[in-house]
Amino acid sequence: MLEDNTAGSSPFLLTCDHYGRIIPRALGDLGLPADEFERHIAWDVGIAGVADALSERLDAHLIAQRYSRLVIDCNRPPEAPSSIPRLSEATVIPGNEGLAAGAAQARRAAIFDPYHRRIDEVIGRRLRDNIPTVLVALHSFTPVYAGVARPWHIGTLYHRDTRLPPLLVKYLRAEPGLVVGDNEPYAVSDDTDYTIPVHGEKRGLMNSGIEIRQDLIADPAGQQQWADRLARIFAEIEAALRAQGLLPR
Ligand SMILES: [Zn+2]
């Protein structure tokens, strides 16, 4: 786990479930060739640089998972079959096949539980201290999935919150030349997601996910450019939420 700006002043609390691609030494390479770890199946390509820079620009607390989603996916309910994927897109993950229940439980205890316990603690502390908190989950997506090209540059992903996501769509669509997905390429559901349903919705926080197309943030220049843009947009959103009385003035 990685944290930045733990005492940050921003109401936005940033999470990044697929920030890193570390594999615990005991698991070796999960039976995969090295180039598979360059792909989106191992992590959200480019999002770490965006998350670090955005956390800094906004002075926002960031909580990020440095272990690969191939070990255990921190944005899936642990009981979902995709929690420890045997197949990701079209790639078989040999190290995840025929996994004993105890081995799956050990991955959960070592990686999934501490990450979500920490997010839960931070939200609990903020609520107790009356610190306004808006949850933003940062992700990236592959431009082509299972042979289908995706036209969006960025998308929102959400389910039950009706406050933050429309503002996010509105401000993103005001950016010249951006193709913005409204709950595309993914929507959030209780069966396929964890961070937003559990930490955002169950806590009653305003929340949304953001998905940036990974080819736009493949290098540091793209990551900085997107962090700058999102920092500007989140400042506008923060002002709009204050004007609406959804954040203290
Ligand atoms: Zn992701």
Side-chain angles (χ1 to χ4, degrees):
M1 194 168 16
L2 171 146
E3 286 189 73
D4 267 339
N5 278 324
T6 52
S9 61
S10 172
F12 297 105
L13 172 63
L14 308 177
T15 59
C16 198
D17 303 333
H18 305 137
Y19 180 98
R21 53 179 169 173
I22 297 174
I23 308 289
R25 193 162 305 175
L27 301 181
D29 55 11
L30 292 172
L32 290 170
D35 58 349
E36 294 290 354
F37 291 95
E38 304 297 321
R39 299 181 55 215
H40 70 96
I41 63 169
W43 63 337
D44 279 0
V45 174
I47 203 64
V50 176
D52 290 343
L54 184 61
S55 163
E56 191 189 313
R57 305 257 198 295
L58 291 176
D59 193 27
H61 190 163
L62 164 70
I63 306 175
Q65 179 55 268
R66 299 171 69 225
Y67 283 97
S68 173
R69 61 148 64 104
L70 292 174
V71 180
I72 184 165
D73 191 327
C74 283
N75 193 34
R76 297 284 180 277
E79 57 277 5
S82 55
S83 162
I84 299 177
R86 285 126 187 101
L87 186 73
S88 183
E89 200 174 351
T91 304
V92 172
I93 320 298
N96 291 349
E97 286 192 298
L99 202 63
Q105 180 54 38
R107 292 190 195 184
R108 176 178 176 172
I111 294 171
F112 180 97
D113 288 344
Y115 175 68
H116 287 293
R117 201 181 306 127
R118 180 62 184 151
I119 297 173
D120 187 63
E121 275 169 12
V122 166
I123 292 172
R125 173 185 51 80
R126 293 178 70 116
L127 294 179
R128 269 195 312 282
D129 294 348
N130 284 319
I131 297 172
T133 302
V134 179
L135 182 69
V136 175
L138 300 170
H139 294 271
S140 70
F141 65 95
T142 178
V144 178
Y145 186 83
V148 179
R150 293 156 152 184
W152 311 280
H153 298 114
I154 186 166
T156 55
L157 69 165
Y158 57 92
H159 185 193
R160 295 180 178 93
D161 185 25
T162 55
R163 300 160 293 179
L164 178 63
L167 280 175
L168 200 46
V169 169
K170 175 181 150 190
Y171 284 101
L172 287 169
R173 287 195 171 153
E175 295 283 300
L178 272 198
V179 181
V180 179
D182 183 359
N183 246 353
E184 300 276 9
Y186 307 106
V188 168
S189 80
D190 296 340
D191 298 333
T192 55
D193 293 84
Y194 193 89
T195 298
I196 283 183
V198 170
H199 300 297
E201 295 179 338
K202 287 196 179 140
R203 288 282 203 164
L205 301 179
M206 288 188 273
N207 68 81
S208 182
I210 284 184
E211 290 270 0
I212 306 171
R213 209 176 68 203
Q214 69 186 40
D215 55 304
L216 305 175
I217 51 171
D219 63 18
Q223 292 159 13
Q224 296 300 316
Q225 190 188 1
W226 276 87
D228 286 344
R229 167 183 273 152
L230 290 175
R232 179 165 47 75
I233 286 173
F234 276 114
E236 292 174 320
I237 289 174
E238 185 177 336
L241 292 172
R242 291 192 197 283
Q244 291 176 27
L246 290 169
L247 285 175
R249 287 167 198 261

